[in-house]
Every structure is written in structure tokens, then in C-alpha cells.
Amino acid sequence: MTMYYNEMVDDGRVRAPYAMLSDWIETMPAEIRQMKQAEAEALFRRIGITFAVYGEGGDPDRLIPFDMMPRVFLQGEWRKLERGIKQRARALNAFLRDVYGRGEIIRAGRVPARLVYQNAAYEKAVVGFVPPRGVFSHIVGIDIVRTGRDEFFVLEDNCRTPSGVSYMLENREIMMRMFPALFRHNRIEPVDQYSELLRRTLASVAPAKCDGAPTIVILTPGHYNSAYYEHSFLANLMGVELVEGSDLFVDGGFVYMRTTQGPKRVDVIYRRIDDPFLDPLCFRRDSMLGVPGLMDVYRSGGVSIASAPGAGVADDKAVYTYVPEMIRFYLGEEPLLQNVQTWALWKDEDYRYVMANLKELVVKEVHGSGGYGMLIGPRASPEEIARFRSLIEKNPGNYIAQPTLALSTSPTFVEEGIAPRHVDLRPFCLCGDRIELVPGGLTRVALREGSLVVNSSQGGGVKDTWVLSE
Amino acid sequence: MRLKITHETGYRYDHPAQALVQSLRLTPSVHEGQRVTDWQIAVSRGQRGAAFRDGAGDWIEAWTVRGPVEEITVSISGLVETRDTAGVLRGHRETINPLVYLRPTALTAADAALCDLAQGVAGEDALDLAHRLSAAVTGAIAYLPGVTEALTSAAEALALGHGVCQDHAHALIACARQRGLPARYVSGYLHSTIDGTPHDAAHAWAEIHVGPLGWVGFDAANACCPDDRYVRLGSGYDADDAAPVRGTTFGSGRESLDVRVQVEEMSQEQ
């Protein structure tokens, strides 16, 4: 039987991080808990935060269940995570600078050329262009799972436009509103400085041609997008304009935004639309979401784009396996956070091992996301395993496999009271002139008993994430 | 050769356009086979925007025009001294890794017939293979204008058995990539065909990356490698990506185009 690390209880004894919460739980009557839960849901509905996280699809108006029981880290635990996350974000940006420049890591034989240069996310159009401060990925979302007291693993990196940070902020807001006493009696590190740090990060990568205070905008595909709420939420918090492609235009060597006072030059675009749709003159001609001519302005240093076009080459599941190499190669350090052991199906030896052990492993598509296109061996029927086997045989290069991880559990409110449920964590690391990380992130929880899938499309919920001060 | 190029494109709109944005890849690239002694791009209205050399070594120049615009003319005139390098692109500064050009696109995806064509030839080495692939494409697609159009894919052109230089280039690119050779689309000008017939038009061919030689041009439409009759503008994955002009017009009007290209040989004294 697999043993799971329970973040709250060990052998009947409450672990330190949760000590101050155990009284709170025990003394809360069931009626109060239900009432509070209903109140939380009403609050979420009222503010309209109902979008799916991570582009998982599904009903965009469905509320993702919020669990009132926070997930807690001690200061010491967090400091270690923080160092590992920042190290990883630095290495990923160094890698992006390199592969769009001289490609030293490939020349050195540490990363296969094919994985980079034949990667669909590698953008030929930006080869040789160095964005301000050499930063390509300004918001790095790193998905982390825990399997033991000191065992944390990175599940995947998100270098493009990771979503979910509005949940991190709203979960905290709602907890503070509903349980002010908890925050009076516990020293919990704040997260609400995130929006100001994000604004400063974006301002710090303004192009050299920008004179004066940079004008920042958030570029959204529009209100049909499942993360539109997050786009408007962040724009609001930062005090910047939320624009669609048609609100921007190129004139001469710059990008302007239409305003009631006439055109206003834009210096930094935090885009929440994907590369192929950014500019019909450079990428997909049929894109109606982008700004014609934007990429020419970008490549001549007239505007900054966050994340930089082409940043996606650092975050697919094949390149992921080389992140520890990147850390050693660019930083001369040993990785502080470990990767999950990963078998690459395009390697003969790995292929043989995986095909013989499909029942024990998790198999994922290299470019897949959101828990789709994935096989969880121990939970799969013989038919599903057979189907995946033939898919892999047809295109081994499209798959990786990992062991089924024993995700830690965190106490969670369920029908019967409190029960352990599996969780993961996505912190959001900001990269500009400095590397910043707010203490916390988004904790996702698999609400179904025994489930290891935390995706909201498959019965996942979210929790507030606490980092305790010393 | 000393080639004088004049290239005029007139755009007219039946309803005035509100604005225009264009990205022009219309300046000859720099390499041993050609030296630009004079080159001017003039647009009848609007302003020059971003201008830079990209990772592929192409000079990109953007133009924007604020409306209302009824008509606009893009005029290019220039003088290029060319010499024959047997198709080899030497002294061309670019930073893109050739492996990038193994990626298929919609216009250059190889179907079963293109795979058969590609597998049907054998070469002693990469260069020999590239020559044979080019000859196979010349044999499989007969030159005939009017059968294919701008968005015809390599697979469609091969099935039709007829096409123009763009189709030959696409088919050759598809075949070369199929055989593991990086290949790309090149746009430019051609002075005259090999028998001396004046060409006087925009032209396109393929470049294939062959080991130590690097990029080598192949013009399957004319069954030769580019020489001093060719002027190279820029490159891309396919015709769409390498287009000399990519633009967007804002407005409801219909656009009509009028293109005139002249490539003249200047005598040495001039």
C-alpha cells in the first residue's frame, strides 16, 4: 500500500504548521462550517471568479470549489522552496536567452538540438533578439508536489502565461473576510503585494526607447476567454488598462492604445494571448486577436512583450527533463528542487521499460496540459492501457512517463468533517530587474477521496496557502 | 552582372481604407553572390516604422499609413552587382540554426505522393541528393501558369502535375525535409531564364542545407542553381512565411493590385 505524507497529522500527533488550526477546526460546529462554506461560495459568485484554471476547458461559469481549510507551510519549509523556485526561474530564463542566441548548451551537448530547434514553440522570428534585461519569461509558474517532509518535486514549468494567481489573491481575501480572528492570532505572511510586484516587474522591462514612466497594458483575447476574469482582475489591481487587439495599433515604430484623449503610446504589453495569435504579419494570418505589425515594433525595441514570444520552448515536458542540466550549466549550482523521474519514450531503453510497466506509470503527452491526453496506469482499465500502448507505438516522441507520485495530503473539509485530500502547489515567480516571489501560491486539492487528480475539470478545488512568519 | 531593378506595387481601394500596416522584406540580403550599390524603398504616403535585420539575415522594414487611403504605391528601385557562386550562399550573416527549417508547414507538408517522390531518388551525399531531388521535382511538375494559386500546397501541386516557381519550391522543400535536409523558401528576382528569355518578374526558389557547404539554392522550376541572374531578397519556411510583403488593411474596401517588375542588365560603363 502506498504511504502518503499527511501534512497535518503524523502518527496521531498534529504537525507544527497545523497546530494552531486544530483547535479552530475542533471547536467549529458543523452548522457554522456549512454556513461559512455557503457564504464563501456566495462571495466567489458575487465577485465572478468562476473561470477554469490553466486552460482546462469545461464550463467557464462553473465555480471551482473553495475549501476553507488553509494549507500551511512553516517559514523554514518555505525558504527552501523559495530558493529552489527562484533558482529554477533564473535557469529557465538563461536557457531562453541562450537558445535564441548562441545555443551554448546545445553546442556543449547538454541538451539535444532537435528538442529545441524542432520544437513547435521555438520562434524563428525572434532568434538573435534579446529582450530588455534578457528576460523572456516574466511570470514563471512552477507546479510543485510534495511526497515527504523534505521531499518536493517539480511537476512542470509554465513559462508562457500561467494563470491562477487571481485565485491565490481571492482565496486569501475571502479567508480574511470570513475569519478575521484567524489572521489576528496567527502570523501569516501577506500575498497582496503581488500586484504591485507584478507592475514593478513589468515596468522594469520597458524598452530602451521608453522615456518617462512606462505605460503598461494587459492584452486579453476577450471576455469569451476562460481566464478573462483574471485579466480584468489583474488590470484593476495594477491600475493599468485591459485591452483587446483592436484597442491597439501600430503607427511608425511604436504601438499605441486608443483612448478617449487620443492615442497613447504603450511600452509594455502583458499579453494573455498565445504566440500564434499575436500578429498576423508575423504569425498566423487569420488571427483577429492580435495587433498587425506588433512583432516588427517588438523586434526593433519599440515595445516589450511579457512573456516574450518564443518563451514556450522552455516549458514542454521533454525540455523539462533537462532543467536540472540547465541549472548546472548556467548557474554552476546543484538543483535545489528535484524533477520527477521521467522516462522519455523516444529513448530505446526508456521505451522498453515504460512499455513493460504501463500499469504502474503515468504517461503524458509532451505538449498536453490540463490532465488531458494522460494515462494513470494504476487507475486505468486494461482497455485504456491497450489504447495508450498503440498510441505510444505510433508516435513515441510525443510521450513521457513518470512514476505515480504519492502526493501529500492536506486536511480538507468534506461531508463527514475533516479528511486528508491530495494537493499540489503553483507559486508565481516574477522575473524583471529582480526575481520576486510572494510567500504562497495556489494550492489545488483533489476533493474526491483517493483521487490524485487536482485539475478543476476533474473534481479539483482550491485552498488558501499560508506561509507562517517566524 | 549589374542588375537594375524597379518594382512598383500599386494598391487601390474601392472604399478608402482607414489604415495600412505593412512589413516589407524587400531589400536584397547581403552575401558573396550579390552586392547592393543602391536601394531605395519609397511609399507614396505614410511613415517608415521599425527597420532591422532579423535572425535569418533579412532586412525588414515596416510602413504604416493612416487613412483615409484610396491608393498607395510602393516603389523600389536599386542596383545590384551579382556574381555566380554556383548557388552556394556564402558570406550571409544569419543566426538561425538550420534544424529549424525541418519543420513542416501547411503549404509544405509531405503527403504519400511527395514522400514517394522524395524516397524515389538516391544520392551519394547530401549535395548530390539535393540535386537529384530538385531534378525529380522538375520532372514531376511541369511549368504552367494559371493552374495553381497562392495557397496551393506542395501536395496539391504535385497531384495537379503543373505549377509555377512557388509550387516547385514548395515541393522541393517538402521532399528535402522528408529526407532530413533542412530546406527553405527564398523570394527574389530573376533577370532571364537560362536560354536568355527575359524574365522580368518576382521569382522564388528553394535553399537546401547540405552539410559543410551550408545553404545552397535550387531552382527546380528552371532546372538550375541560382547564379548571377538571381537577386535574393529573403527566406522563410514557405511562400507565406517568406512573403516580400505582409500587410493588413483596415477598412471595408476591396483591394486591387497592380504589380510591375523590371530587371535590366546595365552595361559596365554605366
Side-chain angles (χ1 to χ4, degrees), chain A residues 119 124 252 280 283 285 296, chain B residues 23 50 64 97 103 240-241 246:
Chain A
N119 195 308
K124 168 170 75 69
F283 303 118
R285 277 183 189 248
D296 283 352
Chain B
S23 182
T64 58
N97 189 291
R103 202 180 299 176
D240 187 44
D241 189 42
R246 283 183 74 148

Side-chain angles (χ1 to χ4, degrees), chain A residues 101 113-114 117-120 122 124 127-128 249-253 280-285 292-293 296-297 299-300, chain B residues 21 23 47-50 52 54-55 60 62 64 66 95-97 99-103 237 240-241 243 246-248 250:
Chain A
R114 179 188 69 86
Y117 298 128
Q118 289 176 255
N119 195 308
Y122 187 81
K124 168 170 75 69
V127 172
F249 65 94
V250 170
D251 195 27
L281 303 196
C282 187
F283 303 118
R284 281 178 59 159
R285 277 183 189 248
D296 283 352
V297 176
R299 294 187 291 175
S300 62
Chain B
V21 183
S23 182
Q47 58 171 323
R48 188 171 182 257
F52 58 97
D54 72 6
I60 312 267
T64 58
R66 309 238 56 88
T95 47
I96 295 176
N97 189 291
L99 291 178
V100 171
Y101 296 96
L102 280 170
R103 202 180 299 176
Y237 292 123
D240 187 44
D241 189 42
R246 283 183 74 148
T248 295
F250 298 91

